[in-house]
Amino acid sequence: MSVGEDKVLWDESRLENPHVQGDKADRVRGMFDAIAPTYELVNRVFSGGRDGAWRRVAVEMAGVTASDDVLDVACGTGDFARAFRDGGVCPRSVVGSDFASGMLVRAVERDRTSIGWVQSDALRLPFGDGSFSIVSCAFGVRNFQDLSGGLGEMCRVLRDGGRAIILEFSRPRNRLMRGIYELYASRIMPMGATLLSGDRTGAYRYLPRSVVSFPSAEAFVGQLVEAGFARVETRSLTMGVVTIYSAFK
């Protein structure tokens, strides 16, 4: 599907359950290509500057060593890959992978030498079995066309003893906090982010809807185990708005 920046990709009918759309991958790719120029700015503004802190905590949980090889899946403009590079211990190598060329162009502009960038689909990673000791993904797994397939690929390219570090939005357990968060995410953020970015694809209506319709933290842990991970640990941040999953192979 050829997608232009002015094309509405997420209308009301598709937002009812965005995860079952047969052409979800094409729509997600077109959406991210369209919002790439303002993506980092919108993230900073509408997370209240917390998105950088969430990534830093996730990198700390990864327990990076100088012998680690890191693959960041659905890397976008490269924020998480750079967080691994700039953490307390610099890994041996960092590679960022994404299927949206508009995002990768901006990732390369920020770092042309210390991080390797690859355009590829998370469901068909162009790496051999056991190529990496850490595979990460920040706010990307819910965009996979096939969640089980994407998690299986992450497990496949991990070495035995390696770990996947997944950072993803979640619904707070506290009912009051959940209500406040979902009002913000469904009403305030979409309007503000659309104005700031100038987006016409419906991206900032899709993104919060994709969180609400994504499996719960408990169900997602079960899917990680089904994908081949032996053990999964979780850590909740910002009153449950974000969850970090550490899945060990």
Side-chain angles (χ1 to χ4, degrees), residues 6-215:
D6 293 335
K7 183 179 178 66
V8 176
L9 299 174
W10 297 102
D11 55 23
E12 283 300 327
S13 63
R14 292 184 174 87
L15 288 171
E16 297 238 348
N17 192 340
H19 300 302
V20 301
Q21 302 303 311
D23 58 353
K24 176 184 174 183
D26 287 329
R27 293 181 182 280
V28 166
R29 182 187 293 110
M31 172 190 84
F32 279 121
D33 280 338
I35 65 176
T38 57
Y39 183 69
E40 290 187 18
L41 174 62
V42 170
N43 285 349
R44 298 291 183 276
V45 170
F46 290 97
S47 71
R50 294 299 299 162
D51 62 315
W54 295 332
R55 290 183 177 89
R56 288 192 294 272
V57 172
V59 170
E60 290 172 6
M61 287 183 65
V64 178
T65 70
S67 62
D68 276 319
D69 297 301
V70 179
L71 171 65
D72 187 36
V73 176
C75 68
T77 56
D79 273 352
F80 207 18
R82 292 191 297 271
F84 275 98
R85 180 201 62 192
D86 298 336
V89 177
C90 184
R92 179 167 56 192
S93 67
V94 180
V95 175
S97 168
D98 201 288
F99 71 171
S101 59
M103 291 294 215
L104 279 176
V105 165
R106 282 153 183 85
V108 172
E109 288 173 350
R110 294 283 298 276
D111 188 300
R112 295 177 180 273
T113 58
S114 64
I115 298 174
W117 305 107
V118 178
Q119 186 171 8
S120 65
D121 192 324
L123 304 186
R124 294 176 293 277
L125 294 172
F127 308 105
D129 297 356
S131 296
F132 300 91
S133 53
I134 298 175
V135 178
S136 64
C137 188
F139 310 115
V141 294
R142 74 183 191 281
N143 297 317
F144 293 171
Q145 178 78 60
D146 175 1
L147 179 57
S148 295
L151 297 180
E153 275 290 271
M154 293 175 72
C155 188
R156 179 186 66 79
V157 300
L158 266 179
R159 298 170 193 148
D160 289 343
R163 59 275 193 208
I165 304 296
I166 298 172
L167 183 59
E168 191 52 88
F169 287 113
S170 50
R171 302 176 74 187
R173 293 178 181 275
N174 179 275
R175 291 180 64 185
L176 176 60
M177 182 60 194
R178 185 168 65 243
I180 294 171
Y181 165 70
E182 292 184 356
L183 174 63
Y184 173 77
S186 65
R187 300 289 182 87
I188 299 170
M189 186 280 285
M191 289 189 292
T194 298
L195 285 172
L196 182 60
S197 66
D199 174 61
R200 299 180 182 180
T201 68
Y204 292 105
R205 296 174 65 213
Y206 160 81
L207 289 167
R209 183 60 194 165
S210 68
V211 175
V212 173
S213 53
F214 193 69

